[in-house]
Amino acid sequence: MQHNITKTMPQTTPQVTLFSGENIPLEMHKVRMVQRINLLPVQERLAAMQAAGGNTFLLRNRDVYLDMLTDSGVNAMSEAQYAAMMMADDSYAGSETFYRLQAALQDFFGTEFFLPAHQGRACENILATAFVWPGSTTVMNYHFTTTKAHITRLGGSVVEVVKDEGMQTVSDDPFKGNFDLDKLAATVEAAGADNIAFVRIEAGTNLIGGQPVSLANMRAVSAFCREKGLLLVLDASLLADNLYFIKTREAECANRPLADIVKEMAALADITYFSARKLGCARGGGICTNRKDLYSKMRDLVPLFEGFLTYGGMSVREMEAMAVGIKETLDIHVISQTPQFVEALGSELMQAGVPVVTPFGGLGCHLDASRFVPHIPQEQYPAAALAAAVFIVSGIRGMERGTMSEQRNPDGSEHLAEMELVRLAVPKRVFTLSQMKFAADRVAWLHENAELIGGMEFEDEPPTLRFFLGRLRPIGDWQERLVQKFLEDMPSGL
Ligand code: F0G
């Protein structure tokens, strides 16, 4: 199927200024299929949150008004993606769908070899199994939960070398995801190049607020790795947002075609992997490389963990949607929608005095729980408490990205997160501006009443990735008191 969207679409951002002077992100799509959602009254939201053990991951979708947990696998797909799904070639081996997807990825990243996997963490499992050994060190700007879990599961350790600004929730640095090159050099020197499994660049650094990495910084990291003979891996899961920020914040890229920028990013790394639940607005994942030796080292792990080499655990329909979605990533209207909605939501929150991570990044708007609820000690999971409170007062499901998302230290002690964030994710093309206004309004109300929010404690704590399935209970009756105050101000309970 020929899809020439990048040739026909303008390469400008669709932000318009209204006659009133207000800037709004104008949607360059129309909604032709809708899903009914519910806004439960506050008492029912409290009951749902308590039934979910205070963990937004454990809520049922029918109880959620705006699902802002993640943008993973929940981005709106285009009509071209749905159309492509009807044309999938179902077969265990040698499916034409695989070859169409492989060609799309070759064209997108400029890489020759492609290994399919069922999602991003499956790629991480393959990478870690192939390249991490006990006692080895993996260096990265910042970890992602599943990446770190796979590396440490195999006896490796993770060292983060993001620049200091990355850890400051308030900043005007446009590329807070950048590597600190001195820290990178010092880490490699201290560990010894032979003990480094690989260096990993996470584009659009997830856990520090969807903050981008500049192309200039990627070039410097790549040059360093080549000089030292280190393997460089690019996690391109959040590439779409990162690409938008490179295009709009990095002067030399303002007039460069998006396709060129992507190819350069991939060429700087030895291996590029991604979650297609994010990149390409589909589902699935993949590993791409130009190096036959690296491909061969990973190849046999795909049939072992994922499925045969021509589907890798994905349905052929997902693969067709991915092939089209990857190409649509080169449409500036597609990649600007999330960052511009994040900015619209974040600006309203900031005007209301709500502490948010700045500059606004991709993925979602990040509330800074350390400043929102400074009275809650980190041992009582302030970000988890805030995420529960946000749901109770709005029906909006966000995600805890703080101490609850960390793993305990090997001695069992708590590993306090460097940041306590609640992420309100903005999946692509899913929400409207009035829904963002509602979100901003209810969070602003909560901020005015923040002293009512109390801490949480574990009732059931799984040993790995505890944030997914762990159950918490509120310390004291603060949730009931919050509901009481909400009803005084909002008698409808909505
Ligand atoms: N890398 C990054 C940067 C991610 O954000 C994710 C997933 C993964 C890898 C793993 O991919 O979910 O397909 O297995 N992030 C999701 C999120 C879960 O909600 O931010 P996956």
Side-chain angles (χ1 to χ4, degrees), residues 456-469:
M456 309 282 274
E457 62 192 359
F458 267 105
E459 186 174 81
D460 175 16
E461 183 180 349
T464 29
L465 297 175
R466 62 185 184 173
F467 61 92
F468 280 134
L469 299 172

Side-chain angles (χ1 to χ4, degrees), residues 69-72 119-122 124 144 146-147 200 202-203 206 235 237-238 273 275-278 284 363 399 401 423:
L69 184 75
T70 176
D71 64 341
S72 173
Q119 62 184 88
R121 70 201 68 181
E124 290 167 342
F144 184 68
T146 54
T147 328
R200 170 177 170 274
E202 185 177 307
N206 189 326
D235 178 348
S237 305
L238 293 171
Y273 79 95
S275 165
R277 300 176 65 82
K278 291 174 182 282
L363 217 174
M399 188 190 289
R401 295 278 75 160
R423 177 176 91 186

Side-chain angles (χ1 to χ4, degrees), residues 54 82 93 117 136 262 267 274 320 323 385 394 418 422 484:
Y82 279 110
S136 65
V262 174
F274 60 94
E320 292 283 358
S394 67
E418 286 164 294
V422 173
Q484 217 168 17

Side-chain angles (χ1 to χ4, degrees), residues 66 68 345 349 394 396 424 434-444:
L66 301 181
M68 302 180 80
L345 172 58
L349 287 171
S394 67
I396 295 172
L424 300 178
S434 52
Q435 289 170 330
M436 295 300 94
K437 271 192 184 301
F438 173 79
D441 179 81
R442 289 303 190 258
V443 173

Side-chain angles (χ1 to χ4, degrees), residues 189-228:
E189 175 79 33
D194 289 349
N195 293 318
I196 305 289
F198 56 87
V199 175
R200 170 177 170 274
I201 300 178
E202 185 177 307
T205 331
N206 189 326
L207 294 188
I208 62 169
Q211 298 295 321
V213 184
S214 71
L215 189 58
N217 191 253
M218 290 185 199
R219 282 187 195 131
V221 172
S222 174
F224 174 82
C225 290
R226 299 236 151 111
E227 183 197 317
K228 299 283 176 195

